[in-house]
Amino acid sequence: MAAVRFSIYRYDPEQDQRARMQDYTLEHVGKDMMLLDALLELKKMDESLGFRRSCREGVCGSDAMSINGRNSLACITPLATLKQPVTLRPLPGRPVVRDLIVDMSQFYHQYREVKPYLTVHDPLPEVELSQSPQDREKLDGLYECILCACCSTACPSFWWNPDKFMGPAALLQAWRFLADSRDQDTDARLDALQGPYKLFRCHTIMSCVDVCPKGLNPTLAIGKIKDLMIKRSV
Amino acid sequence: MPIRKRKFDSLIIGAGGGGLRAALQLSRADAQVAVVSKVFPTRSHTVAAQGGVNAALANVSEDNWHWHMFDTIKGSDYLGDQDAIEYMCRAASRIVYELEHTGVPFSRLDNGRIYQRAFGGQSKHFGGEQATRTCAAADRTGHAILHSLYQQNIRAKTHFFDEYFAIDLIKDDAGYVLGALVMEIETGEPMLIEAKTTLLATGGAGQLYRTTTNALINTGDGMAMALRAGVPLQDMEFFQFHPTGIAGKGMLITEGVRGEGGYLINRDGERFMERYAPHAKDLASRDVVSRAIYIEIREGRGCGPDRDHVLLKVDHLGPEVIKKRLPGIRDLCLTFLHSDPIEKPIPVYPTAHYTMGGIPTNRYAQVVTPARHGPEEVVPGLYAAGECACVSVHGANRLGGNSLLDILVFGRAAANHIIDYLNESRYHRGLPDAGVQQAMARLERWDKKGDGETVDSVRAELTRVMEQHCGVFREQTMLDEGVKKVQELASRMQEVRLTDHSRIFNTARVEALELENLMDIALATVCSASARTESRGAHSRVDYPDRDDEHWLKHSLYFNDCSLDYKPVRMKPLTVDSFPPKARVY
Ligand SMILES: Cc1cc2nc3c(=O)[nH]c(=O)nc-3n(C[C@H](O)[C@H](O)[C@H](O)COP(=O)(O)OP(=O)(O)OC[C@H]3O[C@@H](n4cnc5c(N)ncnc54)[C@H](O)[C@@H]3O)c2cc1C
Ligand code: SF4
Ligand code: SF4
Ligand code: FES
């Protein structure tokens, strides 16, 4: 592949009054290169370029960003599939710390809010809690979330009400525990999601499903929580 | 401006499985714990572990901890300490049940119990039939464990310092470790964390090598911090190359693939492991399989136009098994190879994977160092657990599925010992100024301006040198040259300069600090390797092809001044009979 052009959002709060887009060109691009590899190459040329990364294989959730207008992980996005100039911006709707790095605290806060941990009130056995393969299968598509925030930062309801609407990622985790046959906190979990905002601000726009790099489906999970809530109230 | 300071009972550096397991135990015991991590906890590299964690639950077939103990010792090529290994294998079942109770979504058997799969180097009846011992959550076991542990820590209200980089330990004249200097990455501000105990749980150093299964953050920081605090590093010559990294790229293909029935073939389509390990075949120990692949390729039987890899065949398992048991592996292949393992075999090559060596500890995870009164004196206040530690349960070669076990067992053991220590030590001892200044100097050194080499160019050379001079097969001249080259690179560090001197989220500065750490670890590795004139486990010397128990049944200790010392292997288990060294055949 020939050279690839980039247009990258830059913002250093110590120097820049406001953000700007900076152009870069990368020569000698390998045909199998992922976007993260390209960013690492660019960083060799300009070490001030800031972005998060760790695993390089789509499991740690560090390098979510807006890639040509769509949220995804740089490390599993093949460069060859991208239109040029490849335009990179930080995840939308979150305060920018620097360059492609956003402040994730609201996102993490919402995750903690849904009490994302297994709660068992009965005395614990000396061996494992039993769970059938069928019940275990209900957790597939839920537990694999890597907390990358691609979904929540693509969700219009989250943009408008980040302090009140839980957002798709947190709600997916809420359902992950509601769906777990071992969990014994169903009522408290549903109570905590009552009201017009926390859950019900989701208008099933599906942006979250579109962007999830792990192929998870928060909208489906949200629908299931709603169903359960309605079932409980009758 | 005075440096900000926080004070806790206990400091944990590292939020991988080891750090989080310890934190959970401490928080549940109402100790004030601070967990510092350079990345948000669930981004720690434990998240990438695939295949599973070993415990003789006997859910699938007959098993017991004593067989697991034997396999671990044999796997270690008899360099593992048998007391620590007995302790770990006995604790394994309980640790896994506890994990399940914290919420880990283990795969299940029809009877509702935890699913277990076969993994390399595991047997029944002390070397008999293949055992089925590795507890798995599909092929995302590390993810499942790390997230569950983080979640329970949220519940236990553990105090997290996310995206804080630990610079150095603070030690007083009496030798007590009293906390650490850290830097908040977001602001670039230094901060002191004072604590009665400090636990290092900073993971491995896979970034020593160019092609690695390890994340970019695995730079051996904790090991280097220990070295600088005067603690030696143990058995650093033993670095594991995993037989099945994706060729040319390095992403790991779990041993679980072979556990589920996958096998390796060469260009003739031959299942070559049958020649090297007639009994265990593809599930022989990792060192054995990696060497076999290397030899196949060297003798021209590699696959592909350049004959530079072998193939891992899985299609015969059928789409059902692959989708259900190995979904993550399938994803990796689709993403990075654009091919589906359901249809096509996976090109693989031995890839840098695991740091067997590390900070020497006893089985309470207390850091020990040779001192006046013997080879193992405790460093008061300092603990280490997980991949950064060397307790030593893996000896010269780690078995698959034993690292997740190690981090959990010894993370928990550390916390239990810390709880006792806190009960005995009512007061903080106070931080010495000198120690703080030294640590600050390390940070401030990167403010120096002017021309110089870049971090990246030196790091690139370092990983190349390590690959060429300290890889799967080793030899004296190569190693000696390697020592010289790494020393040269280390001295060039003085001339490395940053161009970016900003404060806010300066990732270049973090990488510079990481490179300094890597450099120390590289020297430790290559120096220890050049001194050991035998082949044992992962350390294969072409010039000394045999294991030499008479001279080398001992642990290496590398000190920061490049000197080496040795200490005996603890051959005596806690309650059972010792397993004396035997020839190792699979
Ligand atoms: C791809 C892959 C697959 C694996 N699969 C398996 C498997 O199936 N079974 C098995 O048993 N083992 C497996 N292993 C090995 C095992 O996963 C690791 O050895 C283990 O997870 C290490 O855990 P840890 O807690 O010691 O460290 P890590 O999980 O690496 O965590 C290190 C922590 O330290 C922090 N840290 C490091 N330096 C600093 C610093 N300077 N300042 C602040 N924080 C710092 C990091 O942020 C991180 O939180 C695998 C390894 C890899 C690479
Ligand atoms: S479906 Fe709901 S949660 Fe998902 S993006 Fe739309 S509004 Fe947000
Ligand atoms: S649901 Fe998907 S997009 Fe959202 S945080 Fe989880 S992995 Fe990321
Ligand atoms: S670097 Fe871990 S998800 Fe991309």
Side-chain angles (χ1 to χ4, degrees), chain A residues 64-76:
Chain A
M65 57 187 71
S66 164
I67 303 166
N68 283 349
R70 191 167 179 276
N71 293 352
S72 196
L73 301 172
C75 61
I76 54 171

Side-chain angles (χ1 to χ4, degrees), chain B residues 462-517:
Chain B
L462 178 67
T463 56
R464 227 182 359 254
V465 168
M466 287 304 287
E467 198 161 276
Q468 279 166 4
H469 293 269
C470 207
V472 173
F473 282 108
R474 301 164 174 186
E475 182 270 327
Q476 198 66 53
T477 332
M478 286 296 274
L479 285 166
D480 290 344
E481 256 172 57
V483 173
K484 246 196 256 136
K485 285 188 178 168
V486 178
Q487 274 168 343
E488 265 164 39
L489 282 169
S491 65
R492 271 162 56 189
M493 281 304 285
Q494 316 272 343
E495 306 309 319
V496 177
R497 294 284 181 278
L498 290 176
T499 54
D500 180 3
H501 298 278
S502 62
R503 300 281 123 190
I504 296 187
F505 225 112
N506 184 339
T507 45
R509 187 148 67 140
V510 170
E511 287 179 27
L513 292 161
E514 289 176 336
L515 178 60
E516 285 180 324
N517 290 331

Side-chain angles (χ1 to χ4, degrees), chain A residues 155 157 165 168 202-208 219 222:
Chain A
C155 166
S157 297
F165 174 53
C202 167
H203 299 306
T204 3
I205 315 166
M206 303 275 281
S207 320
C208 54
T219 315
I222 292 168

Side-chain angles (χ1 to χ4, degrees), chain A residues 107 145-151 169 172 212-214 216 218:
Chain A
F107 176 80
C145 172
I146 58 173
L147 297 176
C148 65
C150 281
C151 57
L172 184 81
C212 175
K214 302 310 280 183
L216 311 181

Side-chain angles (χ1 to χ4, degrees), chain A residues 14 47 52 98 129 182, chain B residues 43 100 108 163 499 504:
Chain A
E14 288 167 83
E47 68 181 21
R52 295 187 175 100
R98 170 181 183 156
L129 295 157
R182 300 169 295 174
Chain B
R43 320 216 185 280
E100 194 277 336
R108 298 288 172 152
E163 302 192 318
T499 54
I504 296 187

Side-chain angles (χ1 to χ4, degrees), chain A residues 104-169:
Chain A
M104 299 269 283
S105 37
Q106 183 70 26
F107 176 80
Y108 296 142
H109 176 74
Q110 279 158 330
Y111 175 66
R112 282 194 299 271
E113 279 284 283
V114 300
K115 301 203 161 56
Y117 36 78
L118 187 75
T119 302
V120 180
H121 299 301
D122 291 345
L124 290 165
E126 78 290 11
V127 293
E128 69 267 55
L129 295 157
S130 184
Q131 185 171 51
S132 70
Q134 294 73 30
D135 278 339
R136 167 60 184 75
E137 223 160 84
K138 294 181 184 148
L139 306 181
D140 285 341
L142 306 174
Y143 83 95
E144 302 93 322
C145 172
I146 58 173
L147 297 176
C148 65
C150 281
C151 57
S152 295
T153 58
C155 166
S157 297
F158 183 78
W159 292 340
W160 306 133
N161 298 291
D163 46 342
K164 293 195 209 141
F165 174 53
M166 286 298 179

